[in-house]
Amino acid sequence: MSSPLHNQIEQAYAELERSQAALAGVQEELDGAETTVTSKNRAITVTVNSRGDLVDIKFLTRSYRTMPAAELATLLIDTIAEARAKAQAAVAATFQSVLPAGMSALDMINGTVDFDSMMREAIRMANEPFPGEEATDRRESGDGR
């Protein structure tokens, strides 16, 4: 026999399975992702992976040989920083498709999400009655939910 609660549990489980499959797809997509950026003077390119780890540097010209060390260092640092920023934006855009509406993947990556507020909202929603259920405070009913 199928009850409304049973149907809701089945729907929630199906949604969980869809979410897990979507996350697995995102992870697979990111596993091989790389971002390559060419320096402003076209002397070098740098490549980073989806985690922002440096995986390659290519010198496109021989100008680095006559460049002062500080200039070359700045060129490398700036180009790597740009590649990491672009990779981070790409990761955020990829994850955005599996996040709830209104949640920013870039904010999560940057650490600017208020997780305490998110948890309070999740708890509030969990304490809302199911459709057709009486509106009572479950914490007061003693069932621990």
Side-chain angles (χ1 to χ4, degrees), residues 31-44:
D31 280 345
E34 293 183 342
T35 300
T36 300
V37 171
T38 302
S39 64
K40 292 178 182 174
N41 68 357
R42 304 262 185 227
I44 62 170

Side-chain angles (χ1 to χ4, degrees), residues 34-37 45-49 52-58 83:
E34 293 183 342
T35 300
T36 300
V37 171
T45 62
V46 298
T47 302
V48 298
N49 62 20
D53 297 331
L54 184 63
V55 295
D56 192 29
I57 298 174
K58 290 184 181 166

